[in-house]
């Protein structure tokens, strides 16, 4: 810091000494010394302001000023036919020489952001609309709800079906287990249904990663390669992909977000279908699949009753509602 102060002091003294030698302002020595020192201090103030300016702004100001000066010289040369002895012509030449560099300087400084590397790269980048890829995994295909989401038009971009996912679906469809076989065939039917939909672009990707064995990790690598998002309802894949910096569209999270909001104290009309885990509990389900646990509802299995919501729990697997029968609620009050 001390050397900076020393350099600035020497600069002011140098300007003052130059004014002392040339005496450009007045015949009196003291006036030239004061004017030289003041000019040096003004330059230091300008320098302090420039230190806080962006490099791109300074570069833009220099380029704009140079262009403005070139235009001023060009226009001045074009007025060669004018009478230079006329004071108005002399003033016009001076005005042009001052105005154009000033305008170029100011405009260049304001538009200096265009000289940033990102902006410069954008000028040479392809202006075609960027493709948005949505990569389907095996679980979301077998689940089947993806077809309804595609049909509503909420899922934009190109649906990508990796070849290794198709291979996994085929293995499930050829399984000896009847349940797995039905699930695999259901997944293949869902894919055919999506391909036949209008307005939905589906492509099969042959990109594979032989060094990666697990299908979930292959999906993550494919999403990185295509700069796309994975569409899944697999909780574990969701977490792993997020840890690796890959965006995920989870169908279960979408379904939970679309469920109607139920608040404590609201009445519900439910049909109790089975016994709960705890003693005397009954379990019912709303139309959207939300579980409703009814206190002292074991004796009401198979009946449709009016209940009042007491507590709501939001878990990773979904929403769970606890309620009690309306008659018991009134009695407790």
């Amino acid at each position: 810091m001390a050397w900076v102060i020393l350099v600035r002091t020497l600069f002011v003294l140098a300007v003052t000494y130059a004014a002392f030698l040339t005496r450009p302002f007045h015949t009196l020595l003291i006036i030239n010394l004061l004017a030289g020192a003041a000019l040096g201090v003004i330059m230091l103030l300008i320098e302090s302001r420039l230190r806080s300016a962006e490099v791109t702004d300074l570069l833009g100001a220099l380029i704009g000023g140079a262009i403005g000066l070139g235009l001023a010289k060009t226009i001045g040369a074009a007025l060669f036919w004018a009478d230079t002895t006329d004071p108005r012509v002399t003033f016009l030449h001076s005005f042009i020489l001052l105005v154009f560099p000033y305008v170029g300087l100011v405009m260049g400084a304001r538009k200096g952001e265009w000289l940033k590397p990102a902006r410069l790269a954008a000028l040479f980048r392809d202006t075609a609309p960027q493709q948005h890829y949505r990569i389907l995994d095996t679980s979301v295909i077998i689940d089947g709800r993806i077809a309804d989401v595609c049909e509503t038009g909420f899922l934009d971009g190109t649906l990508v079906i990796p070849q290794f996912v198709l291979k996994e679906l085929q293995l499930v469809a050829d399984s000896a287990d009847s349940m797995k076989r039905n699930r695999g065939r259901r997944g293949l039917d869902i894919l055919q249904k999506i391909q036949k939909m209008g307005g939905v672009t589906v492509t099969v990707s042959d990109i594979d990663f032989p060094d990666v064995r697990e299908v979930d990790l292959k999906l993550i690598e494919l999403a990185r390669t295509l700069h796309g998002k994975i569409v899944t309802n697999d909780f574990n894949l969701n977490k792993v992909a997020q840890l690796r910096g890959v965006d995920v569209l989870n169908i279960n999270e979408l379904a939970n977000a679309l469920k109607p909001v139920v608040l404590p104290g609201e009445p519900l009309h439910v049909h109790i279908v089975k016994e709960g885990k705890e003693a005397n509990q009954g379990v019912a389900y709303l139309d959207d699949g939300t579980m409703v646990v009814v206190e002292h509802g074991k004796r009401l299995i198979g009946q449709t009753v009016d209940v009042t919501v007491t507590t709501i729990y939001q878990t990773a697997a979904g929403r769970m509602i606890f309620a009690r029968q309306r008659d018991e609620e009134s009695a407790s009050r």
Side-chain angles (χ1 to χ4, degrees):
M1 188 64 183
W3 69 270
V4 176
I5 298 175
L6 177 62
V7 169
R8 289 177 176 175
T9 303
L10 292 175
F11 172 75
V12 173
L13 292 176
V15 176
T16 305
Y17 183 68
F20 165 74
L21 292 178
T22 57
R23 300 187 181 186
F25 303 106
H26 201 271
T27 56
L28 294 177
L29 179 61
I30 187 64
I31 294 178
N32 287 282
L33 292 177
L34 292 176
L39 185 60
V41 172
I42 291 173
M43 293 305 300
L44 290 181
L45 294 175
I46 295 175
E47 178 265 337
S48 64
R49 293 295 299 273
L50 290 177
R51 281 189 296 114
S52 61
E54 293 284 345
V55 176
T56 53
D57 294 341
L58 295 177
L59 186 59
L62 289 175
I63 295 175
I67 293 175
L69 183 62
L71 288 175
K73 295 294 290 183
T74 302
I75 295 175
L79 297 176
F80 66 93
W81 48 268
D83 185 7
T84 55
T85 59
D86 190 336
R88 293 174 296 180
V89 176
T90 304
F91 173 77
L92 181 62
H93 276 275
S94 302
F95 182 74
I96 291 173
L97 196 59
L98 291 173
V99 167
F100 278 91
Y102 168 75
V103 173
L105 193 72
V106 173
M107 294 301 295
R110 288 187 176 181
K111 300 298 182 181
E113 60 183 18
W114 286 96
L115 296 176
K116 292 182 178 180
R119 288 292 187 94
L120 291 175
L123 294 176
F124 302 97
R125 195 175 296 158
D126 188 9
T127 57
Q130 187 176 3
Q131 287 283 349
H132 299 284
Y133 294 105
R134 307 293 181 248
I135 304 164
L136 306 184
D137 82 327
T138 309
S139 63
V140 81
I141 296 173
I142 294 176
D143 179 84
R145 289 176 292 177
I146 186 65
D148 298 328
V149 175
C150 294
E151 196 168 13
T152 57
F154 279 102
L155 196 62
D156 64 335
T158 301
L159 298 183
V160 178
I161 304 168
Q163 190 68 45
F164 52 83
V165 168
L166 279 178
K167 184 178 180 181
E168 187 178 40
L169 268 178
Q170 186 176 359
L171 290 176
V172 175
D174 294 337
S175 174
D177 189 340
S178 61
M179 183 175 294
K180 288 185 178 180
R181 185 166 61 249
N182 292 334
R183 287 167 59 86
R185 291 176 180 177
R186 170 183 168 81
L188 295 175
D189 292 339
I190 292 295
L191 287 181
Q192 289 182 351
K193 181 180 178 180
I194 294 175
Q195 285 181 325
K196 294 177 181 178
M197 290 181 184
V200 179
T201 305
V202 181
T203 181
V204 177
S205 175
D206 294 328
I207 300 176
D208 200 353
F209 304 92
D211 298 334
V212 181
R213 291 187 176 182
E214 297 184 16
V215 174
D216 289 354
L217 297 181
K218 287 187 177 185
L219 284 168
I220 293 173
E221 294 300 326
L222 181 60
R224 285 178 173 175
T225 303
L226 299 179
H227 302 286
K229 298 180 180 180
I230 299 175
V231 184
T232 183
N233 61 0
D234 188 334
F235 180 77
N236 294 327
L237 174 59
N238 192 350
K239 290 300 181 183
V240 173
Q242 289 179 350
L243 290 174
R244 293 175 177 260
V246 175
D247 293 330
V248 177
L249 301 177
N250 195 313
I251 298 296
N252 286 336
E253 292 180 357
L254 176 62
N256 290 332
L258 294 177
K259 289 181 178 179
V261 178
V262 180
L263 299 176
E266 289 190 6
L268 292 176
H269 192 67
V270 297
H271 182 73
I272 301 177
V273 295
K274 65 179 183 179
E275 181 182 352
K277 290 184 178 180
E278 302 295 333
N280 296 324
Q281 284 183 344
V283 176
Y285 293 94
L286 299 181
D287 293 338
D288 57 14
T290 303
M291 178 185 292
V292 181
V293 179
V294 181
E295 298 177 14
H296 306 291
K298 181 179 178 180
R299 57 186 175 82
L300 302 173
I301 293 176
Q303 300 181 31
T304 301
V305 296
D306 293 324
V307 297
T308 302
V309 177
T310 58
T311 311
I312 301 171
Y313 287 106
Q314 181 67 48
T315 65
R319 185 182 295 118
M320 181 180 294
I321 299 175
F322 287 85
R324 65 171 56 179
Q325 195 176 1
R326 295 286 296 277
D327 296 339
E328 293 182 0
E329 180 72 16
S330 302
S332 64
R333 289 181 180 177

